[in-house]
Amino acid sequence: MASAERKVFENETEAWEALGIVDLIGDQACILEIVERVYAPIHNKYIFDGYLPDGFFESAKEDLLLALRCYLWDVPETVTDHVPDDDELCLCLYDLIRFKRADDPAWMHILPEWDF
């Protein structure tokens, strides 16, 4: 997977454009559910282990990308048609997590984890 620094989305519309789902509210909700399912346990473990939130992405990038790959089967077909490369799709989802964390202060705190 690419190691170059990627630009954080400036708004949610940019994220949806990158994923090809600007006007597809149901697909957007599905993607948000996936990124929350991936992000919460990794972030929570990081915080519970006593680390400060500022260094999260440097420490957790590979874990996040690996976990996102496990959920690609659940990504809507509209998205996989728009971003057919699995590596690039994982990076786009990672970028969405980075945006949500920068945009929503609640993502800096312990988040409820999903029941599987």
Side-chain angles (χ1 to χ4, degrees):
M1 292 187 196
S3 61
E5 186 63 28
R6 295 173 61 97
K7 178 181 163 282
V8 176
F9 296 126
E10 292 182 17
N11 55 58
E12 223 166 79
T13 301
E14 273 188 12
W16 303 142
E17 286 172 350
L19 296 169
I21 54 174
V22 172
D23 296 320
L24 301 174
I25 304 303
D27 287 354
Q28 292 173 10
C30 180
I31 292 298
L32 284 173
E33 181 179 322
I34 290 168
V35 298
E36 288 175 14
R37 279 181 181 231
V38 166
Y39 173 77
I42 294 171
H43 173 261
N44 292 352
K45 181 183 181 320
Y46 182 84
I47 297 300
F48 286 136
D49 285 349
Y51 295 100
L52 296 174
D54 293 343
F56 175 73
F57 284 106
E58 294 79 22
S59 299
K61 181 176 182 178
E62 292 305 317
D63 289 340
L64 288 167
L65 290 171
L66 183 61
L68 287 166
R69 185 169 292 278
C70 294
Y71 280 91
L72 290 183
W73 61 271
D74 208 16
V75 170
E77 188 174 340
T78 310
V79 174
T80 57
D81 286 348
H82 186 76
V83 186
D85 180 75
D86 287 352
D87 290 340
E88 182 60 27
L89 179 53
C90 287
L91 287 169
C92 285
L93 296 173
Y94 172 79
D95 291 343
L96 178 59
I97 291 171
R98 289 176 58 218
F99 165 75
K100 292 302 286 183
R101 186 175 163 106
D103 186 63
D104 185 347
W107 280 54
M108 293 289 284
H109 304 287
I110 303 302
L111 294 175
E113 295 182 25
W114 295 82
D115 292 328
F116 294 101

